[in-house]
Amino acid sequence: MWYFLNVIFNILNKKIYNYFPYPYFVSVIHLFVGVVYCLVSWTVGLPKRAPIDSNLLKLLIPVAVCHALGHVTSNVSFAAVAVSFTHTIKALEPFFNAAASQFVLGQSIPITLWLSLLPVVLGVSMASLTELSFNWTGFISAMISNISFTYRSLYSKKAMTDMDSTNIYAYISIIALFVCIPPAILVEGPQLIKHGFNDAIAKVGLTKFISDLFWVGMFYHLYNQLATNTLERVAPLTHAVGNVLKRVFVIGFSILIFGNKISTQTGIGTGIAIAGVATYSYIKAKMEEEKRRGKAA
């Protein structure tokens, strides 16, 4: 379900950008639909809302800010270039995670992990140099997204509490929504009022426009919620392999649906990058499992 919802979200999201190229506003809609879903779920008691205090709020705000920044910059990239290209660049996320762990948290990263990241850098470089939809906005936005999600994971470690993942993600979504609204109004507000909404409605009609925005928001929230719930329940090795496999699914389906033309070099580069991420994830998961066994012993 995690893969299935993620693939549908990516395809529907890109289709919306083809006739409504306003990623800041669409990012707000993603979060808004998710927040409404959470509020309705809390109202009916599925799940029961967990209480939040000022201490937990202080811990969740940095997570939500990084979540919001990473989400918006991902969407700016999706709007600017092919879905497959954005996901290839986002395959660099483990490299940023390793760098942040070593230089920010002061954790020692083994040489084997750093070596496993070399094919990721090489593959992404190959894919970027020949990708037919390349532009700097798409590339830089995807890189900022990588950095944002890296810091989100660092802050998330500090925010680990007894609260269940469904409630945690709900609170993060609410805070992130408030973070995303001001830049959307400042950056895209005048264009949307002047012609953005009218152009989209003229192209696809009001009903389809509202329906597309609603469903893309639902799929965004549900795939993130399922990913959070799933990764809470599986071993690190399953998590690592699953995350890489998800990226392959998204890239493959986006090429099939949109008919994106990719050069041989881009295809090889994407394959090398994904193989590198898989190797990195496998080694890191093995290390975590050994660490857990050591603690258990």
Side-chain angles (χ1 to χ4, degrees):
M1 285 300 292
W2 171 27
Y3 287 9
F4 174 69
L5 293 171
N6 187 258
V7 166
I8 293 176
F9 162 74
N10 276 277
I11 291 168
L12 183 54
N13 205 40
K14 186 62 179 179
K15 283 186 174 180
I16 289 171
Y17 289 135
N18 286 340
Y19 70 82
F20 186 68
Y22 297 95
Y24 287 82
F25 177 79
V26 174
S27 297
V28 168
I29 293 297
H30 291 161
L31 292 165
F32 175 75
V33 173
V35 167
V36 171
Y37 176 87
C38 292
L39 294 176
V40 171
S41 298
W42 279 340
T43 303
V44 299
L46 294 170
K48 188 177 178 182
R49 186 180 73 83
I52 188 168
D53 56 29
S54 58
N55 290 329
L56 181 57
L57 190 61
K58 286 176 187 174
L59 291 172
L60 288 180
I61 285 173
V63 181
V65 170
C66 291
H67 179 67
L69 181 60
H71 178 50
V72 170
T73 49
S74 287
N75 277 294
V76 170
S77 182
F78 283 135
V81 294
V83 173
S84 55
F85 178 62
T86 300
H87 276 281
T88 303
I89 298 300
K90 285 170 73 66
L92 278 173
E93 200 172 318
F95 178 83
F96 287 96
N97 266 291
S101 296
Q102 176 131 354
F103 301 115
V104 178
L105 296 180
Q107 297 174 354
S108 178
I109 303 296
I111 190 67
T112 49
L113 271 184
W114 283 110
L115 288 174
S116 72
L117 289 170
L118 288 177
V120 180
V121 178
L122 173 65
V124 169
S125 300
M126 283 179 66
S128 302
L129 287 171
T130 60
E131 173 60 55
L132 296 175
S133 73
F134 181 89
N135 70 47
W136 283 107
T137 300
F139 177 80
I140 292 169
S141 297
M143 293 296 277
I144 293 172
S145 173
N146 280 336
I147 296 167
S148 301
F149 286 141
T150 293
Y151 275 92
R152 181 186 66 178
S153 66
L154 295 184
Y155 287 125
S156 293
K157 287 186 178 181
K158 296 179 183 178
M160 290 293 178
T161 66
D162 293 330
M163 189 184 290
D164 65 283
S165 60
T166 301
N167 273 290
I168 285 279
Y169 185 66
Y171 283 121
I172 288 171
S173 296
I174 292 168
I175 300 166
L177 175 61
F178 285 106
V179 174
C180 287
I181 289 173
I185 293 171
L186 289 171
V187 176
E188 296 176 347
Q191 294 170 284
L192 287 169
I193 293 168
K194 192 175 179 181
H195 58 79
F197 291 126
N198 290 333
D199 288 353
I201 293 166
K203 287 175 185 173
V204 298
L206 180 61
T207 305
K208 178 170 171 54
F209 180 49
I210 293 173
S211 173
D212 282 354
L213 290 177
F214 169 76
W215 284 113
V216 80
M218 280 299 295
F219 284 118
Y220 171 76
H221 181 80
L222 292 174
Y223 106 72
N224 273 290
Q225 188 62 75
L226 270 174
T228 307
N229 296 152
T230 303
L231 301 184
E232 185 184 37
R233 291 168 170 79
V234 298
L237 184 57
T238 310
H239 170 183
V241 174
N243 212 25
V244 176
L245 214 55
K246 182 204 78 175
R247 211 168 284 287
V248 178
F249 265 71
V250 173
I251 290 172
F253 273 99
S254 69
I255 290 169
L256 284 173
I257 298 296
F258 296 109
N260 297 332
K261 294 179 180 178
I262 59 169
S263 67
T264 304
Q265 185 173 322
T266 300
I268 293 170
T270 301
I272 292 172
I274 292 169
V277 175
T279 306
Y280 167 86
S281 301
Y282 181 85
I283 294 170
K284 195 165 189 293
K286 276 290 189 187
M287 287 166 54
E288 286 175 7
E289 283 183 0
E290 285 170 12
K291 199 185 295 179
R292 281 193 330 181
R293 284 175 191 158
K295 284 180 182 177

